[in-house]
Amino acid sequence: MKSILIVFMLCMTGCAHILEGESEVSEGKAWDFDHQVQFEQHKISDNNYSLIVRSTNRTRFSTLSAFLVRQSFQICKTYGFKIEIVDGIETYNDEKYIKSFIPASLQANIECKPRLKKG
């Protein structure tokens, strides 16, 4: 009976940890398998975040920018966020005219809409 109780308590602790982690934005480097990009995000202040999307294996700019918008929504958990591009915009002909073109990382600052406190 005690072993069942211990297993149950361990399961509950694990579930509580998983739910707790979902509400917070992870910081540092991570990999997105759907878009095949490495990204780095950091919290600057309560509603402001920094996001760097690094391309690998010649990831197209359209994929990087789509990931930036989706990740911004995931960070803010609502619409109404603002994205300020800091670096990484390429022109239409960059790959065509520059030999051995390596796309720059797409860097942006994200400002979430402030959440109203109930009470």
Side-chain angles (χ1 to χ4, degrees), residues 46-107:
D46 283 343
N47 295 321
N48 295 308
Y49 298 86
S50 170
L51 184 62
I52 301 172
V53 186
R54 303 187 192 286
S55 68
T56 56
N57 296 332
R58 310 283 288 169
T59 307
R60 299 181 64 82
F61 177 76
S62 58
T63 304
L64 296 177
S65 57
F67 175 78
L68 176 67
V69 172
R70 289 182 180 136
Q71 188 66 17
S72 299
F73 180 75
Q74 186 174 8
I75 289 171
C76 296
K77 296 180 178 50
T78 185
Y79 291 106
F81 54 85
K82 296 178 186 175
I83 300 175
E84 176 189 7
I85 305 296
V86 178
D87 191 24
I89 299 293
E90 64 182 45
T91 65
Y92 182 73
N93 293 323
D94 277 351
E95 288 185 52
K96 186 175 181 180
Y97 294 115
I98 301 172
K99 293 180 182 179
S100 66
F101 176 75
I102 300 173
S105 299
L106 186 57
Q107 299 179 19

Side-chain angles (χ1 to χ4, degrees), residues 12-24:
M12 292 303 290
T13 305
C15 292
H17 181 69
I18 290 170
L19 292 175
E20 179 183 313
E22 286 179 354
S23 64
E24 296 180 10

